[in-house]
Amino acid sequence: MKLDTMKDLRRTHYCGEVPNTPQEVVVCGFADRVRDMGNLIFINLRDRTGLVQLAFNDNTDKTVFEKAQQVKSEYVLMAKGQVQKRESVNNKLKTGEIEIIVTDLRILSKAETTPFEVTNSDKVNDELKLKYRYLDLRNPKLQENMIMRHKIAQVTREYFYDNGFLEIETPMMMKSTPEGARDYLVPSRVHEGKFYALPQSPQIYKQLLMISGYDRYIQLARCFRDEDLRADRQPEFTQIDLEMSFVDAEDIQQCVEGYIQKLFKDVIGVDVKLPIERMTFADSMNRFGSDKPDTRFGMEIQDITDTVKDIDFVVFKSAIENGGSVRAINVKNGASTYTRKEIDKLVEHAKGIGAKGLAYIRWADEPNCSFKKFLGEGDLEKICEATDARKGDLVLICADKNNVVLSTLGALRLVTAKRLDIIPEGQYNFVWITEMPFFEKDEETGAWIAMHHPFTMPMDECLEYLDTDQGNVRAKAWDLVLNGTELSSGSMRITDFQLQQKMFEALGMTDEEIEAKFGFLVDAYRYAAPPHGGMGIGLDRLAMIMCKADSLRDVVAFPKVQNASELMSACPSEVEKKQLDELHIKTM
């Protein structure tokens, strides 16, 4: 069959936007479904806006009708015809009240039988869908996600442009500098043995822009990090990157709050109440066992150390004597769901996080305590009172070092809430996490490393601890968290080159290392820098939450899988020896 052309026809309407009035229209798209009933043929035509029904009947021109009989799923069609009311309305479609009586049909491209049904791809395994990603992207749900992602980017630019920000591009090939994750390296053909790095973020460049006098910068920046993947992480991602001069932390947070409020209202019609709640890092860890708390439900962590300190239970006593604590969460109405067998699974989960074990009180008909034989008179009642435990509740108790206890109970809090289905849908709880620790200890080496990046400004009252008590140094840094997902990190930056030098030294860097890695930035500070700070907001994660998607794959057009490969194009791939020779590279 010879394929048709578009000659003499031009699209007048998108499929999902055909008006509910009699008129002649021309539509284009993919054949979604074909129903051939002999003297009647119906074709659902699909484009990114939705579906419209094409109708062919006894009055249709014979040539056009015969052409319609040849159409199969995913053929690319162009159709001209008259809009008319449908006899049977389809309320599931935007165009469900009308159909197009076709007078001219063009088959622009034929499709072989596809590996899976495009509009039913939910039932297909991920590997097959990713191999044929261009087909899966025809799925209406994925197309809705891509369109929403576009709207997020559009509103983002509009808001920041309206607030005096300049969009400035920064290099995609830059100097490799330590920023937390592993760099993707780009070998240089011209400079033998030397490499560029793909940016983990535009951090250094945006600070240099502040020094250059561009006091409000914005960029939808592509970033790259060679780290293990998970549902909310891809090796390449888009960051809404911003920096501001002559401001403090409150100014930046207020600006971003205005953006969040406009974004959620304009894109999904949700009103975000301002100001967004502020919570210190210490409070967040103590209450929720996480620096990215999901505050949509309670089940907060309770410190019961004082309540149990006199109980002759070696697990509790040992933890307290070693400077740790005993803490608990009350899983309200959890006793019926969590049988002894189910609790054993929670114990294994806790051990997987790092806890030595898990104590519990399961109050079904009567309180059943896993450490009952160690309790004195009235001890069980005191614990139940301290944890507000009632009949039907399950109390989970962990005793260990504080960091182990908090991370364990924080994780179990989420696991049990999901199991009990108590996390409200359609609710958006934002929270600022402030006063972040400046340093964190590397568990392997014992060295103190920067929790964010080494350009973060310590809080004024913590400067005296830089040399003596690094674990007590808090930073002028903050995170924006939504429903347990970290959306962004921000901080005020160091602008005094002497203090910057001191921070590098506190991180164990020698003068030679400082000069080799950051010499150009330190030099720039010598010529004066305005006070400045900024943030990077994850556009992909924003889109994932706003689209109610389960994974970043659902909001990224061509995503990578767990091992950082792309199944569709089969990359990364080998290259010719000639290319490696030009780059002075030999594989081993």
Side-chain angles (χ1 to χ4, degrees):
M1 181 184 73
K2 184 179 178 182
L3 293 175
D4 298 316
T5 68
M6 292 173 54
K7 186 179 180 182
D8 304 327
L9 281 187
R10 289 293 179 267
R11 177 167 59 185
T12 61
H13 295 83
Y14 281 96
C15 293
E17 298 172 354
V18 174
N20 191 0
T21 53
Q23 60 182 285
E24 186 176 75
V25 297
V26 178
V27 291
C28 308
F30 296 88
D32 185 75
R33 185 184 176 201
V34 181
R35 288 171 291 155
D36 189 340
M37 300 181 222
N39 62 335
L40 280 175
I41 298 175
F42 296 104
I43 299 174
N44 281 354
L45 193 66
R46 182 188 72 242
D47 64 18
R48 73 185 201 197
T49 64
L51 298 170
V52 67
Q53 179 169 284
L54 307 180
F56 307 81
N57 54 37
D58 292 337
N59 297 321
T60 303
D61 178 86
K62 182 180 178 182
T63 304
V64 172
F65 195 92
E66 289 175 351
K67 196 178 290 185
Q69 289 178 311
Q70 302 172 42
V71 173
K72 297 179 182 178
S73 292
E74 301 308 316
Y75 275 30
V76 178
L77 309 176
M78 173 178 262
K80 176 183 177 182
Q82 290 289 330
V83 177
Q84 74 168 27
K85 296 283 186 180
R86 282 176 64 161
E87 290 185 10
S88 55
V89 173
N90 184 347
N91 292 319
K92 295 180 180 179
L93 296 182
K94 286 192 292 184
T95 59
E97 295 183 0
I98 56 98
E99 62 187 3
I100 299 172
I101 304 300
V102 178
T103 56
D104 188 356
L105 179 67
R106 311 278 177 94
I107 298 178
L108 303 179
S109 184
K110 295 197 300 180
E112 295 182 4
T113 302
T114 54
F116 53 86
E117 191 178 345
V118 167
T119 52
N120 241 357
S121 62
D122 290 348
K123 301 175 183 177
V124 180
N125 73 70
D126 286 345
E127 189 171 327
L128 185 63
K129 288 193 291 186
L130 287 168
K131 182 177 179 181
Y132 297 96
R133 182 64 168 180
Y134 45 84
L135 293 179
D136 198 26
L137 282 170
R138 295 180 188 177
N139 183 294
K141 179 56 184 171
L142 274 184
Q143 291 197 336
E144 287 173 12
N145 290 353
M146 294 301 132
I147 292 169
M148 184 175 288
R149 184 189 170 103
H150 160 75
K151 289 179 180 176
I152 291 170
Q154 183 180 23
V155 172
T156 298
R157 285 193 162 97
E158 288 172 356
Y159 175 82
F160 286 106
Y161 291 172
D162 289 345
N163 281 274
F165 285 76
L166 300 175
E167 184 163 10
I168 304 175
E169 291 183 347
T170 53
M172 293 293 282
M173 296 193 301
M174 57 180 287
K175 183 183 181 72
S176 178
T177 57
E179 288 193 43
R182 189 181 293 110
D183 282 331
Y184 279 103
L185 299 177
V186 180
S188 170
R189 177 183 60 81
V190 178
H191 303 280
E192 182 176 349
K194 295 184 178 181
F195 296 80
Y196 303 98
L198 299 180
Q200 293 186 31
S201 78
Q203 184 62 48
I204 292 177
Y205 285 106
K206 67 179 181 180
Q207 290 188 237
L208 289 169
L209 286 170
M210 297 301 105
I211 294 172
S212 303
Y214 299 92
D215 66 306
R216 290 197 166 199
Y217 143 92
I218 182 70
Q219 182 183 192
L220 270 60
R222 295 294 287 164
C223 304
F224 307 84
R225 294 180 185 176
D226 187 2
E227 55 189 356
D228 295 335
L229 272 62
R230 57 191 187 204
D232 63 350
R233 180 187 288 168
Q234 283 277 308
E236 50 185 315
F237 58 96
T238 302
Q239 183 167 292
I240 301 166
D241 201 50
L242 62 110
E243 197 81 5
M244 303 168 69
S245 291
F246 307 108
V247 293
D248 59 19
E250 191 67 25
D251 295 322
I252 299 171
Q253 290 164 11
Q254 285 181 1
C255 180
V256 171
E257 285 181 353
Y259 161 66
I260 291 294
Q261 188 178 58
K262 176 178 174 59
L263 180 71
F264 273 71
K265 184 65 175 177
D266 288 4
V267 177
I268 59 175
V270 169
D271 291 312
V272 176
K273 293 182 180 178
L274 302 183
I276 292 171
E277 178 188 359
R278 267 81 169 156
M279 186 187 305
T280 66
F281 174 88
D283 282 346
S284 179
M285 293 301 300
N286 285 325
R287 291 172 58 190
F288 301 99
S290 172
D291 59 354
K292 44 183 185 293
D294 191 336
T295 60
R296 288 175 294 175
F297 63 100
M299 211 189 298
E300 294 189 18
I301 298 171
Q302 306 295 322
D303 190 339
I304 60 171
T305 306
D306 287 342
T307 305
V308 303
K309 64 182 180 182
D310 296 325
I311 294 176
D312 193 20
F313 181 31
V314 66
V315 174
F316 293 171
K317 278 189 172 297
S318 176
I320 296 169
E321 287 170 1
N322 290 317
S325 61
V326 183
R327 306 189 192 219
I329 56 172
N330 182 354
V331 184
K332 283 289 181 186
N333 303 309
S336 59
T337 300
Y338 283 96
T339 61
R340 175 58 192 271
K341 186 177 180 180
E342 292 292 321
I343 293 173
D344 288 343
K345 292 179 182 178
L346 291 179
V347 174
E348 291 306 309
H349 191 88
K351 288 179 178 179
I353 298 169
K356 297 181 183 70
L358 198 65
Y360 66 86
I361 300 170
R362 179 175 177 266
W363 192 341
D365 296 326
E366 295 291 335
N368 178 20
C369 179
S370 64
F371 51 99
K372 186 176 182 179
K373 65 181 179 180
F374 301 102
L375 297 178
E377 187 177 348
D379 286 341
L380 181 58
E381 289 77 7
K382 289 178 183 177
I383 297 173
C384 288
E385 183 180 352
T387 57
D388 190 33
R390 301 283 188 273
K391 185 176 181 179
D393 295 345
L394 171 68
V395 179
L396 302 176
I397 303 171
C398 188
D400 209 314
K401 295 177 182 177
N402 287 341
N403 62 331
V404 173
V405 170
L406 293 173
S407 60
T408 300
L409 291 178
L412 293 179
R413 175 179 177 267
L414 295 175
V415 168
T416 53
K418 288 176 182 175
R419 176 67 188 278
L420 295 176
D421 196 22
I422 63 171
I423 304 176
E425 293 293 325
Q427 186 172 319
Y428 298 92
N429 280 28
F430 290 90
V431 59
W432 290 109
I433 305 300
T434 63
E435 298 185 26
M436 310 290 287
F438 190 95
F439 298 98
E440 60 183 343
K441 185 166 281 190
D442 187 308
E443 294 297 331
E444 293 183 7
T445 65
W448 290 102
I449 58 176
M451 193 169 186
H452 287 256
H453 51 68
F455 319 115
T456 301
M457 184 72 179
M459 297 190 71
D460 298 339
E461 62 269 28
C462 296
L463 292 174
E464 61 182 290
Y465 304 133
L466 285 176
D467 299 320
T468 59
D469 188 7
Q470 291 172 315
N472 202 26
V473 178
R474 289 167 289 128
K476 291 184 180 179
W478 57 87
D479 287 350
L480 180 61
V481 175
L482 169 58
N483 295 352
T485 297
E486 179 193 320
L487 290 182
S488 69
S489 290
S491 71
M492 298 303 297
R493 323 302 189 189
I494 296 171
T495 54
D496 183 314
F497 73 89
Q498 291 178 327
L499 177 58
Q500 184 65 73
Q501 187 84 4
K502 188 175 181 67
M503 295 308 301
F504 286 143
E505 292 169 358
L507 291 167
M509 297 176 67
T510 64
D511 289 343
E512 291 75 17
E513 287 178 312
I514 297 168
E515 178 59 32
K517 295 174 180 177
F518 300 110
F520 64 100
L521 181 64
V522 174
D523 284 345
Y525 280 142
R526 296 177 188 275
Y527 300 104
H532 61 276
M535 296 183 66
I537 305 168
L539 189 150
D540 310 85
R541 289 186 182 179
L542 257 181
M544 184 178 75
I545 291 175
M546 296 175 79
C547 291
K548 298 181 179 179
D550 295 325
S551 167
L552 287 182
R553 292 180 186 177
D554 297 330
V555 295
V556 174
F558 300 102
K560 305 289 192 292
V561 295
Q562 187 70 30
N563 64 1
S565 66
E566 187 204 287
L567 300 183
M568 184 188 68
S569 65
C571 77
S573 60
E574 294 179 352
V575 297
E576 294 180 2
K577 184 177 182 299
K578 178 184 177 183
Q579 290 176 275
L580 293 178
D581 291 342
E582 288 175 341
L583 295 168
H584 321 289
I585 288 177
K586 182 181 291 185
T587 59
M588 300 179 67

